[in-house]
Amino acid sequence: MAADKAVRGRFFEDFRLGERIVHPTPRTVGEGEAALYLGLTGSRFPLASADTAARALGLARRPLDELLAFHVAFGKTVPDVSLNAVANLGYAEVRFLGPVWPGETLRAESEVIGLRPNRDGRAGIVWVRSRAFAQDGREVLAWVRWVMVRRRKPGGGGPEAVVPETADHVPPQALPVPEGLHGRGYDTALTGSPWLWEDYEPGERIVHPAGMTIDETDHTLATRLYQNNARVHFDAHAMASSRFGRRLVYGGHVISVCRALSFEGLANAVWIAAINGGTHANPVFAGDTLYCRSEVLARWALPGRDDLGALRVRTLGLKDCDPATVDEPRDGEGRYRPEVVLDLDYTVLMPRRR
Amino acid sequence: MAADKAVRGRFFEDFRLGERIVHPTPRTVGEGEAALYLGLTGSRFPLASADTAARALGLARRPLDELLAFHVAFGKTVPDVSLNAVANLGYAEVRFLGPVWPGETLRAESEVIGLRPNRDGRAGIVWVRSRAFAQDGREVLAWVRWVMVRRRKPGGGGPEAVVPETADHVPPQALPVPEGLHGRGYDTALTGSPWLWEDYEPGERIVHPAGMTIDETDHTLATRLYQNNARVHFDAHAMASSRFGRRLVYGGHVISVCRALSFEGLANAVWIAAINGGTHANPVFAGDTLYCRSEVLARWALPGRDDLGALRVRTLGLKDCDPATVDEPRDGEGRYRPEVVLDLDYTVLMPRRR
Amino acid sequence: MAADKAVRGRFFEDFRLGERIVHPTPRTVGEGEAALYLGLTGSRFPLASADTAARALGLARRPLDELLAFHVAFGKTVPDVSLNAVANLGYAEVRFLGPVWPGETLRAESEVIGLRPNRDGRAGIVWVRSRAFAQDGREVLAWVRWVMVRRRKPGGGGPEAVVPETADHVPPQALPVPEGLHGRGYDTALTGSPWLWEDYEPGERIVHPAGMTIDETDHTLATRLYQNNARVHFDAHAMASSRFGRRLVYGGHVISVCRALSFEGLANAVWIAAINGGTHANPVFAGDTLYCRSEVLARWALPGRDDLGALRVRTLGLKDCDPATVDEPRDGEGRYRPEVVLDLDYTVLMPRRR
């Protein structure tokens, strides 16, 4: 009799602390993927937009958008890590180690660094440290994430709880600066924004004025492009009987749209060096219009560099409201207000004024 | 006075037995088309997904997805063959003769191999054998299809009926194996599925668990990408007064989505060698969620090859239902059940266990 | 205190006659963009469709579709010129100076050539002459457009009115013919249409039979691809309280769809040399089905050329109606009928019969 071929993904019982998972389906990401990513986000950040801009900033040509590379690498981990996720709880220490060039092939692997069974015996939390590599073995991305994964069979027992420590943020001295990237002689005519690193003050708030409505094909096209097969994004028939009643927009698409919208106010944030943490505070559905607002959390010099500096930024993604009117993202009881969809803490590199 | 420029397509009276039709508008299909195809289907089959995977399987780089090449070539034939089709009745002997590489240019031609007037004098059936060639003259695809085409003027008469024989299936010894493709040293980590040719048994059924909802832009973007100009897919205003009331999803998109969904269960089916036949049992509309279920019809060794074998597979495309619950696709009177949208008989190549 | 980073765009008061504006965010436009453009429009015109077709017409390979290059270049001007536009009033003297090749980088600049304050003190009209350049400094596009732009502060005064003269049409002797493009030995099998330059008569009307319904992701994907950030196309939440009640389709997408539909009737119009003028007579919304109908305004020989001629064409874009039934686009009082969405006057190059 033939073996059962059903693909069910890993359940909580299937993870072992310290285990290394090599994720399948490597992916070549080329100029076609780059073009479609621009079409899906409308991003105007200079590095991924034009070869001439990339060369002015010290790179050989336009690299893939950092988030495109991330979403593809992340998508590789979904079949092994989160196909049976109840909730994607968080991520940390996301580091963009260097450019991925069009035509390069990404593969990913993960190490299980933490496990904690839920008390109710129905699920448990899995922490993984994931890394993505180009075809030449170069590590290009690294991150930690944790997800609550269903058990195959509800019940007690399971591994002793091991909860890893994750950094509150990637510190300035650990921020990766892509090889060759520099801010020497940077011409703000590239982006049309005169504001450079020195012009941003910790505590400053920036309202990004534009909004972007997400339609069904927008997010499903993006998520399929990343070969992310999480079913909640694609299957309206099954989701009709979920508590949401419909498909969920992939949180990564929300991040990408907010990043693109943040161009108006942070145009010279030429490179995302790290994501320190993020929460998808409320679901996004097709038909929602996204806006965002940022706050500068810190302004850091980079060791040995007078051409580029770092800004730690908190961007709130909001839906169907005026982003200038949202003061506090949480209500008096500490819960996110219903219009908040993303609370992202990340660090960008920006040319310094000379 | 200027000649009438209206483009009306061929009617039944316009076809002559033995006639060779050279289809217009050759098309270069590059990495951009390949990326968009992945975005439209989410396919994770290894050959078209990564250069590294293609090289591990003996090819120089990732070829175009077999179905992308087919849809483009098929689209070339639409203006001449089926613009006035009442129904696309079937196809057979579809052979994928070898990889099409990104950047190659496809053109197509057809020979009229059968004609049969309908008794009602309003239409007739046209059989064509079509072939697609790359810019260097290499034949890359061949197929037979038959369509019912309206007459320009209803009435009797017309050609004597000639109904060609088509093969029930492409036999194992006639299956094309792309030059260079091999399964030697195949590493199942490429796809994450441990199941190879030997693991599939004739009669075995495989439920592919994922579903994919089709939205309007999904299918129209795909169908425009293929330059397929059949009007039923694009013109909601005209279709509002048809018996369907709205646009129809191109059957080729349904095949592509089902192929992508079949990855979960048939992940190592690295190459479609042939389509033996197919029926679009019921129409698909935007908003429908597609699922599929497969049955292994035969397992064939390939002459002189111990690294690759062939599986003949029947995949049922279903909509808005649990694919595990559909037992028989036809009801007691032999009619397809309303949830069945595709009944596809095709042959894939899969690495053998060594 | 940090400087206010809000991006508000230019208001009428910010423009100075004779001023030169260098637009930010240059853009590399590659094969990925070209593929997506085909997917968005379904265009089958031969030059941008196939390398073999481009070579048969004298070019080295397939160039970008003329309109794709135009939309990207136009998009560059939006943040500086029309972010605060009340209305896009018109354009003229659009000249397609030569092919843009996949992989080239476009940048744009504009000169303010006219200004006229409105009497009501709330806005004024700005005329700009814009030009786009490839990375090697080659001028590839030039055009004039005029927009009504809001004042930052309503009030009288402002510059003396200077209204530039714009040409009624680009005259035949000023039509750019791309270097290398020729019609010698042109084979109509490329397009399947037998009609060449000599076959079109001034006054002749051509009904293009196909229709194309526009869905939300169609136009937003296109417009984001062009990095055009005009907010009316993207922000359903804000547009819900506008007089339209919903998002507007970018007029450039309407032009592109009409151009693609015009293939059936004008298939050998291999190159758009100029747009003489155009009016977006009524807005287009998602769900509308576009049709079009053309009239030949003039047939011009080109100086020194017996292989290519020019046709001046007026194409009416229509929505949700049979294009054969629209006789006059304006009603008795000179207003466009509600089904007319585009009135485009442009000039194409077509091979001559030898």
Side-chain angles (χ1 to χ4, degrees):
Chain A
M1 195 187 135
D4 178 9
K5 307 296 188 306
V7 173
R8 296 190 182 87
R10 282 164 180 257
F11 292 88
F12 181 69
E13 303 95 312
D14 300 324
F15 292 91
R16 296 283 168 269
L17 195 71
E19 180 187 14
R20 175 173 162 261
I21 304 169
V22 176
H23 303 296
T25 67
R27 169 70 174 279
T28 302
V29 191
E31 300 206 352
E33 282 83 356
L36 186 48
Y37 184 82
L38 287 192
L40 288 162
T41 62
S43 176
R44 288 177 281 155
F45 285 100
L47 275 183
S49 184
D51 288 334
T52 53
R55 281 196 289 269
L57 282 151
L59 302 185
R61 55 183 296 207
R62 55 175 180 168
L64 299 181
D65 189 284
E66 308 90 286
L67 292 173
L68 166 57
F70 176 75
H71 296 323
V72 170
F74 181 93
K76 300 292 114 194
T77 72
V78 167
D80 291 314
V81 174
S82 49
L83 204 60
N84 295 307
V86 181
N88 284 290
L89 298 173
Y91 36 88
E93 302 181 29
V94 186
R95 289 180 303 142
F96 297 82
L97 300 170
V100 180
W101 305 105
E104 291 206 300
T105 300
L106 296 179
R107 63 180 188 83
E109 55 181 62
S110 298
E111 186 188 354
V112 179
I113 61 169
L115 290 171
R116 189 174 70 191
N118 285 12
R119 288 196 189 161
D120 67 5
R122 296 172 171 272
I125 301 178
V126 179
W127 282 259
V128 290
R129 183 178 296 277
S130 300
R131 305 195 295 166
F133 302 89
Q135 71 291 332
D136 59 3
R138 220 169 68 246
E139 187 175 349
V140 292
L141 283 158
W143 68 95
V144 172
R145 73 165 166 140
W146 51 105
V147 292
M148 186 178 296
V149 178
R150 266 192 297 276
R151 283 181 185 262
R152 181 178 285 108
K153 292 182 182 171
E160 200 180 343
V162 175
V163 176
E165 282 196 36
T166 56
D168 171 67
H169 64 277
V170 179
Q173 64 277 15
L175 286 173
V177 179
E179 193 183 332
L181 185 75
H182 69 74
R184 296 190 297 277
Y186 184 74
D187 183 352
T188 57
L190 260 186
T191 62
S193 165
W195 315 115
L196 294 173
W197 179 77
E198 289 85 349
D199 302 313
Y200 291 86
E201 299 287 348
E204 174 181 0
R205 289 193 176 179
I206 303 158
V207 174
H208 309 295
M212 176 70 64
T213 304
I214 310 295
D215 298 291
E216 292 289 11
T217 299
D218 290 336
H219 74 92
T220 60
L221 190 56
T223 312
R224 287 186 300 245
L225 182 70
Y226 311 140
Q227 296 177 316
N228 180 329
N229 66 320
R231 291 167 194 169
V232 292
H233 310 310
F234 300 116
D235 186 335
H237 177 71
M239 293 303 287
S241 54
S242 74
R243 67 188 170 100
F244 303 108
R246 48 198 164 142
R247 287 172 279 176
L248 298 175
V249 173
Y250 165 49
H253 187 60
V254 175
I255 295 176
S256 283
V257 169
C258 287
R259 164 72 172 163
L261 293 174
S262 79
F263 180 82
E264 299 190 352
L266 284 165
N268 294 317
V270 295
W271 180 258
I272 301 177
I275 297 177
N276 302 305
T279 300
H280 296 280
N282 283 293
V284 173
F285 305 108
D288 289 347
T289 300
L290 298 184
Y291 299 90
C292 58
R293 200 204 67 190
S294 296
E295 180 178 349
V296 179
L297 298 180
R299 188 178 68 201
W300 293 320
L302 290 174
R305 303 290 298 240
D306 63 358
D307 60 327
L308 289 173
L311 297 175
R312 183 178 172 190
V313 177
R314 180 188 188 186
T315 293
L316 295 179
L318 305 162
K319 66 176 178 184
D320 297 333
C321 68
D322 178 344
T325 64
V326 175
D327 194 39
E328 253 307 303
R330 295 177 190 263
D331 64 18
E333 299 176 21
R335 288 177 305 221
Y336 279 106
R337 295 181 189 282
E339 64 268 29
V340 179
V341 295
L342 175 70
D343 187 353
L344 190 74
D345 175 343
Y346 61 113
T347 303
V348 294
L349 304 186
M350 195 180 279
R352 294 178 60 159
R353 197 173 297 288
R354 304 296 295 276
Chain B
M1 194 189 135
D4 178 8
K5 307 295 189 306
V7 172
R8 295 191 184 86
R10 281 164 181 258
F11 292 89
F12 182 69
E13 301 95 312
D14 300 324
F15 292 91
R16 296 283 169 269
L17 195 71
E19 180 187 13
R20 176 173 161 260
I21 304 169
V22 176
H23 303 295
T25 67
R27 169 69 175 279
T28 302
V29 191
E31 300 206 352
E33 282 83 357
L36 186 47
Y37 184 81
L38 286 192
L40 289 162
T41 63
S43 176
R44 289 177 281 155
F45 285 100
L47 275 183
S49 184
D51 287 336
T52 54
R55 282 196 289 269
L57 282 153
L59 302 186
R61 55 182 299 207
R62 55 175 180 168
L64 299 180
D65 190 285
E66 307 90 284
L67 292 173
L68 167 56
F70 176 75
H71 297 323
V72 170
F74 182 93
K76 300 291 115 194
T77 73
V78 168
D80 291 315
V81 174
S82 50
L83 205 61
N84 296 307
V86 182
N88 283 290
L89 297 173
Y91 36 88
E93 302 180 28
V94 185
R95 290 180 303 141
F96 297 82
L97 300 170
V100 180
W101 305 104
E104 292 205 300
T105 300
L106 296 178
R107 63 181 187 80
E109 55 181 63
S110 298
E111 185 189 352
V112 179
I113 61 169
L115 290 171
R116 189 175 71 193
N118 285 13
R119 288 198 188 160
D120 68 4
R122 296 171 170 272
I125 300 178
V126 179
W127 282 259
V128 290
R129 182 178 298 277
S130 300
R131 305 195 296 165
F133 302 89
Q135 71 291 331
D136 59 4
R138 220 169 68 247
E139 187 175 349
V140 292
L141 283 158
W143 69 94
V144 172
R145 74 164 165 139
W146 51 105
V147 292
M148 187 178 294
V149 179
R150 265 191 298 277
R151 283 179 184 263
R152 180 177 287 106
K153 292 183 183 173
E160 200 179 343
V162 174
V163 176
E165 283 196 35
T166 57
D168 171 67
H169 64 276
V170 178
Q173 65 275 17
L175 286 173
V177 178
E179 194 182 333
L181 184 75
H182 69 74
R184 295 190 298 277
Y186 184 74
D187 184 351
T188 57
L190 260 185
T191 62
S193 165
W195 315 115
L196 294 173
W197 179 77
E198 289 84 349
D199 302 313
Y200 291 86
E201 298 287 347
E204 174 181 359
R205 288 192 176 180
I206 303 158
V207 173
H208 308 296
M212 176 70 64
T213 305
I214 309 296
D215 297 293
E216 291 290 10
T217 299
D218 291 335
H219 75 92
T220 59
L221 190 55
T223 311
R224 287 186 301 244
L225 182 69
Y226 311 140
Q227 295 177 316
N228 179 330
N229 66 321
R231 291 169 192 167
V232 291
H233 309 311
F234 300 116
D235 185 336
H237 177 71
M239 292 304 286
S241 55
S242 74
R243 67 188 170 100
F244 302 108
R246 47 199 164 141
R247 287 172 278 176
L248 298 175
V249 173
Y250 165 48
H253 187 59
V254 176
I255 295 176
S256 283
V257 169
C258 287
R259 163 72 172 163
L261 294 174
S262 80
F263 180 83
E264 299 191 350
L266 284 165
N268 294 317
V270 295
W271 180 259
I272 301 177
I275 297 177
N276 302 305
T279 301
H280 296 280
N282 283 293
V284 174
F285 305 108
D288 289 347
T289 300
L290 298 183
Y291 299 91
C292 58
R293 201 203 67 190
S294 296
E295 180 179 347
V296 178
L297 298 180
R299 187 178 69 203
W300 292 321
L302 290 174
R305 303 291 297 241
D306 63 359
D307 59 329
L308 288 174
L311 297 175
R312 183 179 172 189
V313 177
R314 180 188 187 186
T315 292
L316 295 179
L318 305 162
K319 65 176 177 183
D320 297 333
C321 67
D322 178 343
T325 64
V326 175
D327 192 41
E328 253 306 303
R330 295 177 190 262
D331 65 17
E333 298 176 22
R335 289 176 304 220
Y336 278 106
R337 295 180 188 284
E339 64 269 30
V340 179
V341 295
L342 176 69
D343 188 352
L344 191 73
D345 175 343
Y346 61 114
T347 304
V348 293
L349 304 186
M350 194 179 280
R352 295 178 60 158
R353 198 172 297 287
R354 303 297 293 276
Chain C
M1 196 188 132
D4 178 9
K5 308 295 189 305
V7 172
R8 296 191 182 85
R10 281 163 180 257
F11 292 88
F12 182 68
E13 301 95 313
D14 300 324
F15 292 92
R16 296 284 168 269
L17 195 71
E19 180 188 13
R20 174 174 162 259
I21 304 170
V22 175
H23 303 296
T25 68
R27 168 71 174 278
T28 302
V29 191
E31 300 207 351
E33 282 84 356
L36 187 47
Y37 184 82
L38 287 192
L40 289 161
T41 62
S43 176
R44 289 177 280 156
F45 285 100
L47 274 183
S49 184
D51 287 335
T52 53
R55 281 196 288 270
L57 283 152
L59 302 187
R61 56 183 297 208
R62 54 176 181 167
L64 299 180
D65 190 286
E66 308 89 285
L67 292 173
L68 167 57
F70 176 75
H71 296 322
V72 170
F74 181 93
K76 300 291 115 194
T77 72
V78 167
D80 292 314
V81 174
S82 49
L83 205 61
N84 296 308
V86 182
N88 283 290
L89 298 173
Y91 37 87
E93 302 181 28
V94 186
R95 289 181 303 141
F96 297 82
L97 300 170
V100 180
W101 304 105
E104 292 206 300
T105 300
L106 296 179
R107 63 181 188 81
E109 55 182 62
S110 299
E111 185 188 355
V112 179
I113 61 169
L115 290 171
R116 189 175 70 193
N118 284 12
R119 288 195 188 163
D120 67 5
R122 296 171 170 273
I125 300 177
V126 179
W127 283 260
V128 292
R129 181 178 298 276
S130 300
R131 303 196 297 166
F133 302 89
Q135 71 291 332
D136 59 3
R138 220 169 69 247
E139 187 175 350
V140 291
L141 283 157
W143 68 95
V144 172
R145 73 166 167 139
W146 50 105
V147 292
M148 186 177 296
V149 178
R150 265 191 298 276
R151 282 180 184 264
R152 180 177 287 106
K153 292 183 183 173
E160 200 181 343
V162 174
V163 176
E165 283 197 33
T166 57
D168 171 68
H169 63 277
V170 178
Q173 64 276 16
L175 285 174
V177 179
E179 193 183 332
L181 184 75
H182 69 74
R184 295 191 297 277
Y186 184 75
D187 183 351
T188 57
L190 260 186
T191 62
S193 164
W195 315 115
L196 294 173
W197 179 77
E198 289 85 348
D199 302 312
Y200 291 86
E201 299 287 347
E204 174 181 359
R205 289 191 175 180
I206 303 159
V207 174
H208 308 296
M212 176 70 64
T213 305
I214 309 295
D215 298 292
E216 291 289 12
T217 299
D218 291 334
H219 75 91
T220 60
L221 189 56
T223 312
R224 288 186 299 245
L225 182 70
Y226 311 140
Q227 296 177 315
N228 179 329
N229 67 320
R231 291 168 193 168
V232 291
H233 310 310
F234 301 116
D235 186 335
H237 178 71
M239 293 304 287
S241 55
S242 74
R243 67 188 170 101
F244 303 108
R246 48 198 163 140
R247 287 171 279 177
L248 298 175
V249 173
Y250 165 48
H253 187 59
V254 176
I255 295 176
S256 282
V257 169
C258 287
R259 164 71 171 162
L261 293 174
S262 80
F263 180 84
E264 299 190 351
L266 284 165
N268 294 317
V270 295
W271 180 259
I272 302 177
I275 297 177
N276 302 305
T279 301
H280 296 281
N282 283 293
V284 173
F285 305 107
D288 290 348
T289 299
L290 299 183
Y291 298 91
C292 58
R293 202 203 66 190
S294 296
E295 180 178 348
V296 179
L297 298 180
R299 187 177 69 201
W300 292 320
L302 289 174
R305 303 290 299 240
D306 63 359
D307 60 327
L308 289 173
L311 297 175
R312 184 178 173 190
V313 177
R314 180 188 187 186
T315 293
L316 295 180
L318 305 163
K319 67 176 177 184
D320 297 334
C321 67
D322 178 344
T325 64
V326 175
D327 193 41
E328 254 306 303
R330 295 179 191 263
D331 65 18
E333 297 176 21
R335 289 176 305 221
Y336 278 107
R337 296 182 187 281
E339 64 268 30
V340 179
V341 296
L342 176 69
D343 187 352
L344 191 73
D345 175 344
Y346 61 113
T347 304
V348 294
L349 304 187
M350 195 179 280
R352 295 178 60 159
R353 197 173 297 288
R354 303 297 294 277

